[in-house]
């Protein structure tokens, strides 16, 4: 084999790789930085980390696109997809019929629900009905806010906060009597920063499923679903799940 031929082959391969990297589409991805442990800022590196962040990076790699990751408050995410200012969002977004009318969703990638969080010494709250007339913190634009206002007859005390850290601080300072929000988030807080000061109580309310949201009519829905199926099939999803939440429930 001639040296000239090898050089030509090498140049061709290099050009092919370069062309692939140049043509790889970059999608504008957005998340809410306060939904721990799904997405949060690593204070040392300034990088977004968490369960969702590992999922979207793995999906992007397998689906064949690059990501331009930015953050915003949760209540702005769906409108940003509607206007086309972003292409994809991942932020523990519950798949609902109302949202499906205005954005596209991937297949579900996480089963969740809603749960009550109270101070460690609170023995008055065991279920939703006990929250009647109390001050309850939740998150702006979330399904937990909708559920509270529909479930409580006396809901004047329902107080929406822009970020989960705000409502947890309100609970620990006594500004609210309880917090009602996504189960994995309140559970993670109760076992970390809130350990010994707060506790989860009652059952899991309104079983939910999280999906990756895409702007309506996105061509990436299929590739994203294929990538999700792949990581669940080969064990990558299980590895990521157990890193952030511990042992995976049976049957998952």
């Amino acid at each position: 084999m001639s040296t000239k031929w090898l050089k030509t082959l090498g140049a061709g391969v290099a050009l092919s790789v370069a062309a692939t990297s140049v043509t790889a589409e970059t999608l504008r991805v957005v998340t809410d930085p306060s939904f721990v442990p799904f997405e949060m800022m690593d204070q040392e590196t300034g990088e977004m980390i968490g369960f969702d962040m590992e999922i979207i990076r793995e999906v992007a790699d397998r689906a064949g696109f690059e990501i331009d990751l930015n953050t915003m408050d949760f209540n702005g995410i769906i409108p940003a997809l509607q206007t086309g200012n972003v292409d994809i969002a991942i932020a523990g977004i519950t798949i609902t019929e109302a949202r499906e009318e205005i954005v596209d969703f991937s297949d579900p990638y996480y089963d969740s629900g809603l749960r009550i969080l109270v101070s460690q010494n609170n023995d008055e709250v065991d279920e939703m009905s006990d929250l009647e007339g109390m001050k309850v913190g939740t998150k702006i634009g979330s399904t937990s806010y909708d559920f509270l206002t529909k479930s409580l007859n006396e809901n004047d005390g329902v107080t929406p906060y822009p970020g989960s850290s705000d409502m947890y601080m309100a609970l620990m300072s006594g500004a609210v009597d309880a917090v009602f929000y996504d189960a994995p988030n309140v559970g993670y807080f109760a076992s970390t920063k809130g350990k010994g000061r707060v506790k989860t109580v009652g059952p899991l309310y309104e079983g939910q499923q999280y999906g990756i949201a895409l702007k309506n009519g996105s061509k990436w829905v299929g590739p994203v679903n294929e990538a999700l199926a792949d990581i669940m099939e080969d064990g990558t999803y299980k590895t990521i799940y157990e890193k952030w939440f511990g042992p995976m429930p049976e049957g998952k």
Side-chain angles (χ1 to χ4, degrees):
M1 185 180 294
S2 70
T3 303
K4 181 178 180 181
W5 191 88
L6 283 172
K7 287 181 178 179
T8 303
L9 175 62
V13 170
L15 284 171
S16 176
V17 170
T20 300
S21 62
V22 168
T23 57
E25 192 169 343
T26 298
L27 302 186
R28 298 160 297 176
V29 180
V30 70
T31 190
D32 173 357
S34 68
F35 191 44
V36 178
F38 287 81
E39 35 266 331
M40 53 192 168
M41 182 73 73
D42 185 319
Q43 297 303 319
E44 293 185 2
T45 66
E47 180 185 15
M48 288 298 299
I49 59 172
F51 176 76
D52 275 354
M53 297 298 92
E54 293 196 31
I55 292 294
I56 193 61
R57 289 180 177 120
E58 190 69 37
V59 165
D61 184 58
R62 298 188 186 213
F65 59 85
E66 303 289 337
I67 66 172
D68 174 19
L69 182 65
N70 290 282
T71 63
M72 66 171 58
D73 288 341
F74 187 85
N75 61 315
I77 288 178
I78 298 299
L81 285 167
Q82 279 185 275
T83 58
N85 289 330
V86 299
D87 301 299
I88 293 182
I90 183 167
I93 305 172
T94 302
I95 301 171
T96 67
E97 290 184 4
R99 288 172 178 166
E100 285 184 307
E101 291 180 1
I102 51 181
V103 300
D104 286 339
F105 274 102
S106 70
D107 293 331
Y109 71 92
Y110 187 91
D111 293 331
S112 184
L114 306 173
R115 199 137 193 232
I116 301 169
L117 185 74
V118 295
S119 297
Q120 185 68 43
N121 58 2
N122 186 329
D123 296 322
E124 299 177 7
V125 177
D126 291 311
E127 57 185 28
M128 179 62 59
S129 61
D130 296 327
L131 298 177
E132 290 284 356
M134 289 188 176
K135 291 183 178 179
V136 186
T138 188
K139 195 168 183 179
I140 294 173
S142 67
T143 52
S144 53
Y145 175 80
D146 296 336
F147 188 87
L148 273 175
T149 54
K150 291 177 182 177
S151 301
L152 298 178
N153 294 319
E154 299 178 47
N155 56 32
D156 290 344
V158 174
T159 306
Y161 289 89
S164 54
S165 59
D166 300 315
M167 59 189 181
Y168 294 144
M169 288 301 295
L171 175 62
M172 292 195 294
S173 69
V176 296
D177 302 302
V179 161
F180 186 68
Y181 193 45
D182 296 70
N185 190 255
V186 297
Y188 183 81
F189 180 78
S191 64
T192 53
K193 292 183 179 179
K195 189 173 184 178
R197 302 178 65 184
V198 298
K199 61 183 179 181
T200 55
V201 295
L204 194 67
Y205 292 93
E206 195 178 49
Q208 303 173 333
Q209 291 183 309
Y210 296 163
I212 298 172
L214 303 91
K215 64 182 180 182
N216 200 26
S218 174
K219 68 179 183 180
W220 291 100
V221 175
V224 165
N225 282 336
E226 289 175 12
L228 282 173
D230 286 345
I231 66 173
M232 290 180 182
E233 178 71 24
D234 68 16
T236 302
Y237 180 89
K238 183 175 186 289
T239 299
I240 297 173
Y241 183 100
E242 296 190 342
K243 173 181 176 179
W244 294 100
F245 304 109
M248 203 171 188
E250 293 184 12
K252 293 294 183 183

